[in-house]
Amino acid sequence: MKPETKGQVQLSKLIFTHNWEDPAMDERALQIKADDTVFTITSGGCNTLGFLRFNPRQIYCVDINAAQTYLMELKQAAFRYLDYEELLAFLGLRHHPKRSLIFRKLISDLSPEARSFWLNNNSLIEKGIIMNGRYERFVKIASWLLRTLQGYGKTKRLFGLKTLEEQKKLYDTEWNNGRWQWIFKTLFNKKRLAKGGLDGDYFHFDDGSASFSESFHKRAGHAICDLPVQTNYFLALYLLGHYQNEKSIPAYLQQENFNVIKKNIDRIHPVTADSKYWLEVQQDNLFDAMALSNICELMDKADTHKLFSEVLRTSKPGARLIFRNLMIPREVPENLQSNIIQDSDLSKEIQFQDRSFVYGKVAAYTIVK
Ligand SMILES: C[S@@+](CC[C@H](N)C(=O)[O-])C[C@H]1O[C@@H](n2cnc3c(N)ncnc32)[C@H](O)[C@@H]1O
């Protein structure tokens, strides 16, 4: 990507090394088929890598932050040159005494920019990158705090429960205590959010909540009571700080998917750009499926309109789309809603089933032209 690319912000800190969006919901919404051309936001790269299981023709993954592109290059190199055991050790799922020795096998596969980025961030490589982006480090600290407040024994017990009834009982009788409620009031404190530019009084919460703290408390309660905890690796990361075991991990890391992802690894094309400007220079009717993450929350109304206009132009008739909102409500602009049509039943279902549970909106759309 050339530095003069229109609208590109020069970001270079690695924020995400993991995707915090449930790929199973992306896959329900996008229905990726063999030979599809797919658009994604790179972020931690996990979901994009998992999409290779469906043998798409190509995936363009775009991120405004160059460090996320370097992460994707590194993960691609790891799939190209490592066997499964080494991959898990390199990423940090298994112990390894010196990961920089594995990195040596990958270095010549990287672009000069990615190579220099990773050489300057060798400490992240040594620790195992998967839980060492900025956000992941925050999650590990938060998980320590949550475990300490709830008690380690109770947290372990939660992940041993086998039925939703048992989960709900534990939540009602032991989990949803004053300390748990305090966490949400403190994290989503009105004054603190207002300092960050988020005034809760202006927001309408789809779940009927009166505040961010109430809404996030409900979202977490839903994850604990209504979705099986044993297969929820997001909940494990937020509460334990690591995956529960090697079974409950993202699809791209599961052993049975390793060979197909390795075979298709060159079909991912990482790009550093602001997606709305990158899409502007792509041809009409290119994409069969598009996953937009929650990037609209970082845009004003005019930019959101620009993005969705480009999404409509560059997607094929019948293409599928998913996007999310975490905190700030965003919607397809009104004048595009007859071409970018929300599938309400599927949206309700993926919103409910979403194991990553923090999003205020997870919605699926079909393009009609
Ligand atoms: C919106 S963030 C949220 C994280 C996300 N929910 C996840 O689970 O990974 C995801 C990524 O979008 C990138 N991003 C934000 N605005 C963008 C834009 N206009 N174009 C391309 N990437 C963007 C960020 O750099 C970040 O890596």
Side-chain angles (χ1 to χ4, degrees), residues 16 19-21 41 43 63-64 68 273-275 294 298 359:
F16 299 102
N19 259 125
W20 296 90
E21 291 165 357
I41 297 295
S43 191
D63 204 294
I64 202 165
Q68 303 304 142
D274 184 327
S275 47
N294 56 322
L298 308 170
Y359 294 94

Side-chain angles (χ1 to χ4, degrees), residues 11 15-16 18-22 39-45 47 62-66 68 135-136 234 271 273-277 292-299 307 324 326 356 359:
L11 294 169
I15 312 293
F16 299 102
H18 199 287
N19 259 125
W20 296 90
E21 291 165 357
D22 188 346
F39 173 92
T40 65
I41 297 295
T42 314
S43 191
N47 296 11
V62 177
D63 204 294
I64 202 165
N65 181 351
Q68 303 304 142
Y135 183 72
E136 288 72 23
F234 293 99
V271 177
D274 184 327
S275 47
K276 59 188 175 293
Y277 296 120
L292 295 183
S293 181
N294 56 322
I295 59 169
C296 302
E297 281 179 274
L298 308 170
M299 296 178 187
L307 174 74
R324 293 170 170 79
L326 180 65
S356 63
Y359 294 94

Side-chain angles (χ1 to χ4, degrees), residues 319-355:
R320 282 113 16 230
L321 172 71
I322 183 166
F323 84 92
R324 293 170 170 79
N325 295 327
L326 180 65
M327 289 185 134
I328 304 174
R330 286 279 182 267
E331 190 40 277
V332 174
E334 245 170 62
N335 68 328
L336 302 177
Q337 286 181 5
S338 51
N339 298 102
I340 305 177
I341 298 181
Q342 181 163 1
D343 182 331
S344 334
D345 289 344
L346 181 57
S347 298
K348 261 189 215 135
E349 191 184 320
I350 59 179
Q351 173 89 61
F352 185 86
Q353 296 294 342
D354 176 28
R355 291 172 301 172

Side-chain angles (χ1 to χ4, degrees), residues 36-94:
D36 275 0
T37 297
V38 182
F39 173 92
T40 65
I41 297 295
T42 314
S43 191
C46 316
N47 296 11
T48 303
L49 284 158
F51 295 164
L52 292 177
R53 284 157 34 247
F54 307 107
N55 295 303
R57 183 191 303 271
Q58 49 201 347
I59 305 180
Y60 292 97
C61 62
V62 177
D63 204 294
I64 202 165
N65 181 351
Q68 303 304 142
T69 303
Y70 305 149
L71 173 76
M72 182 54 104
E73 283 193 40
L74 185 66
K75 286 191 175 180
Q76 282 181 285
F79 270 94
R80 280 190 195 106
Y81 291 99
L82 306 181
D83 63 27
Y84 182 69
E85 271 65 34
E86 270 183 315
L87 176 82
L88 292 197
F90 179 66
L91 294 178
L93 273 76
R94 290 189 186 167

